[in-house]
Amino acid sequence: MPKSASFITVFSFLLLALSLESCTESFVPDTETFEDLLVVEATITDEMKKHEIKLTRTYTFEEYQPETVADASVMVSDNLGNQYAFQYNTEDSLYISVSEFQAVPGNEYTLNITTSNDETYVSTPEPLPPINQVSVSYEKKEVAGEFGVQISANSYDPTNSSHYYRYEYQETYKLIVPYWGRYQVKIIEAPLEISLSGYVILYEERDNLDSEVCYDTKYSKEIKLANTIEKSEDRVTDFPVRFIEPDNYILNYKYSILVKQYVINYEAYTYYKTLKKVAGTDGTTLSPNQPGFVAGNLSSVDNPDKKIIGYFEVASVSSERIFLDHVSLFPNIPLPGYFKECNILKLNTRPPKIRAPNKDHMTIIAFTNTGTMLLYKVEQTPGNAPVYIFYMVEPACTDCTTFASNEIPEFWE
């Protein structure tokens, strides 16, 4: 199942559309109209793998995130009597199929969900759309007044039977922290006659020395749709998937994008198109226009009038990965800087005495205990009683494992 955040965001906002009509003036969301509904994110494809389904419930603006439904019974079945059970995975908050399987041409698939309070939901039977291979291209060009590199999807179905497409991407990039160092702060207890705080600050080699180079991965958030129904042939040409400006740090060293093309049916295309309209022009935010509840292909077995948010999608998928980097694309443009500004604090470790308290000493202890700042570099003052000078920066500026992975991806060139 795609890990795109757009559908989660849109689904969470849809609760507002259940009772609001079109409006032209700004409004304050009224959670008194809130309806507690099941939200389903489910896509199975022709890939042989363990498929994933996400179940949550709608939530109000006062809540920060949806509540995951972890105690349901989830099953996908086909018209030949095959059944594929899904089991809840606590670590990922997803239902994952117990065994690997793939959707095959000619079969129809149905999703069945039974919640802990014995509410049963079922989808309409969905066939697998035609299989069509995607290719990815890129071009340096100007888009909406901005110069950069346009990454596009292309495909062609000579049988003229695909027509409806949905696109996602997964981008991975290498990054190097600007202020990496070998050492970390070490705090040891000391008698009060030595240190008023009861501690002396030293340094030691880092627990993790492999923290300078990392690889971060992001997923697309927009609903990207294309169709060829009014064209003379079933061909997608230069469909824009991702545009990157030269000053974007993700291109600094090496960048990879995996573009996925889902061939979907007309009903799924219509559903996502309506969902995108509700979300706004970019498919990620609410529009002032609220057309109402977006019905999918799921319904309640016991109560046909009960609303359920989501769509059970059966799609054929193809993908292609390309690699890019700033030097090759923009040789005459300087590399952009790091993704954030890194402010360096210079602090000394002299222990506080009763008559001469040292604020730096206490600050280092506080930073270390909270993880707010990490040690970047150490200097030592001269003399018989040397004092260590600590240069400290935010974690993201010296240890990339605080927000990304230091493991080289299997697909990395």
Side-chain angles (χ1 to χ4, degrees):
M1 183 185 123
K3 296 183 179 179
S4 167
S6 64
F7 304 140
I8 300 174
T9 303
V10 172
F11 289 151
S12 66
F13 282 129
L14 277 174
L15 61 95
L16 295 175
L18 299 177
S19 60
L20 295 174
E21 297 179 355
S22 297
C23 58
T24 56
E25 298 181 359
S26 61
F27 64 93
V28 177
D30 182 5
T31 54
E32 290 182 1
T33 62
F34 171 73
E35 291 188 58
D36 181 21
L37 303 178
L38 182 66
V39 179
V40 179
E41 297 174 74
T43 298
I44 65 169
T45 70
D46 58 335
E47 301 168 287
M48 177 60 75
K49 66 176 187 178
K50 290 188 175 182
H51 295 269
E52 301 171 354
I53 292 174
K54 188 176 184 69
L55 302 182
T56 55
R57 303 204 73 88
T58 51
Y59 63 105
T60 66
F61 274 97
E62 288 82 4
E63 298 172 305
Y64 292 102
Q65 59 185 6
E67 174 191 354
T68 300
V69 177
D71 51 4
S73 173
V74 179
M75 179 83 69
V76 170
S77 57
D78 65 20
N79 56 311
L80 300 181
N82 299 307
Q83 293 185 329
Y84 307 98
F86 285 68
Q87 206 168 52
Y88 185 73
N89 182 286
T90 305
E91 183 178 350
D92 299 319
S93 299
L94 295 168
Y95 288 86
I96 301 175
S97 61
V98 176
S99 59
E100 294 185 346
F101 72 98
Q102 64 184 146
V104 297
N107 288 5
E108 292 184 335
Y109 297 85
T110 303
L111 173 63
N112 294 270
I113 301 169
T114 302
T115 62
S116 59
N117 58 353
D118 291 327
E119 292 181 343
T120 301
Y121 301 90
V122 64
S123 74
T124 57
E126 299 295 334
L128 178 70
I131 299 171
N132 191 358
Q133 183 62 42
V134 68
S135 65
V136 181
S137 61
Y138 66 92
E139 177 187 8
K140 291 187 292 183
K141 62 188 298 186
E142 190 173 292
V143 175
E146 297 289 336
F147 176 71
V149 56
Q150 178 68 67
I151 300 167
S152 304
N154 307 269
S155 68
Y156 173 58
D157 180 2
T159 67
N160 197 33
S161 56
S162 298
H163 297 306
Y164 300 101
Y165 303 88
R166 182 170 66 83
Y167 293 93
E168 294 179 348
Y169 66 80
Q170 172 186 321
E171 57 184 356
T172 303
Y173 49 90
K174 178 180 178 180
L175 54 87
I176 302 175
V177 293
Y179 296 107
W180 184 82
R182 295 186 61 85
Y183 302 107
Q184 64 187 17
V185 175
K186 181 179 181 180
I187 301 174
I188 59 175
E189 294 185 5
L192 293 179
E193 58 267 23
I194 296 178
S195 172
L196 180 62
S197 67
Y199 299 97
V200 170
I201 300 174
L202 301 173
Y203 67 93
E204 61 185 357
E205 192 167 74
R206 283 189 179 185
D207 295 330
N208 179 18
L209 292 175
D210 190 12
S211 54
E212 182 180 13
V213 179
C214 285
Y215 303 85
D216 203 7
T217 297
K218 306 292 185 185
Y219 297 88
S220 55
K221 296 182 178 181
E222 297 180 28
I223 301 173
K224 294 182 174 291
L225 302 169
N227 78 79
T228 60
I229 198 67
E230 296 182 356
K231 295 183 178 181
S232 59
E233 57 182 2
D234 196 351
R235 185 185 298 273
V236 176
T237 304
D238 294 334
F239 178 80
V241 173
R242 179 77 162 99
F243 181 78
I244 308 175
E245 297 87 348
D247 61 354
N248 195 323
Y249 72 96
I250 64 178
L251 292 173
N252 265 357
Y253 304 104
K254 182 174 284 189
Y255 168 89
S256 173
I257 184 169
L258 176 71
V259 176
K260 286 190 172 185
Q261 173 183 269
Y262 295 86
V263 179
I264 59 181
N265 59 32
Y266 171 74
E267 290 75 18
Y269 177 85
T270 302
Y271 175 81
Y272 285 118
K273 185 177 180 180
T274 306
L275 192 64
K276 184 172 182 177
K277 184 179 180 181
V278 172
T281 56
D282 63 356
T284 59
T285 58
L286 274 178
S287 165
N289 179 31
Q290 298 291 338
F293 177 71
V294 183
N297 61 349
L298 293 146
S299 61
S300 170
V301 172
D302 306 310
N303 183 4
D305 294 328
K306 188 174 182 63
K307 297 183 178 73
I308 178 173
I309 297 175
Y311 198 92
F312 173 55
E313 180 183 42
V314 179
S316 66
V317 62
S318 65
S319 62
E320 184 171 85
R321 180 183 297 279
I322 62 172
F323 288 83
L324 303 171
D325 66 82
H326 188 282
V327 172
S328 300
L329 288 170
F330 311 111
N332 299 320
I333 301 177
L335 288 176
Y338 198 52
F339 75 91
K340 71 183 312 316
E341 184 178 353
C342 296
N343 298 312
I344 302 174
L345 291 183
K346 184 179 178 181
L347 305 167
N348 79 72
T349 64
R350 185 188 301 276
K353 297 297 180 67
I354 294 177
R355 293 173 179 252
N358 181 359
K359 292 182 179 180
D360 283 5
H361 180 99
M362 304 305 296
T363 300
I364 294 172
I365 293 175
F367 281 157
T368 302
N369 288 338
T370 61
T372 309
M373 304 281 277
L374 299 181
L375 182 60
Y376 150 54
K377 185 173 66 173
V378 179
E379 289 181 353
Q380 183 176 321
T381 61
N384 295 328
V387 174
Y388 295 116
I389 306 298
F390 281 12
Y391 294 82
M392 303 191 75
V393 294
E394 295 176 63
C397 298
T398 187
D399 183 349
C400 59
T401 63
T402 57
F403 64 93
S405 172
N406 59 6
E407 295 185 9
I408 301 175
E410 293 181 0
F411 59 79
W412 205 251
E413 293 182 351

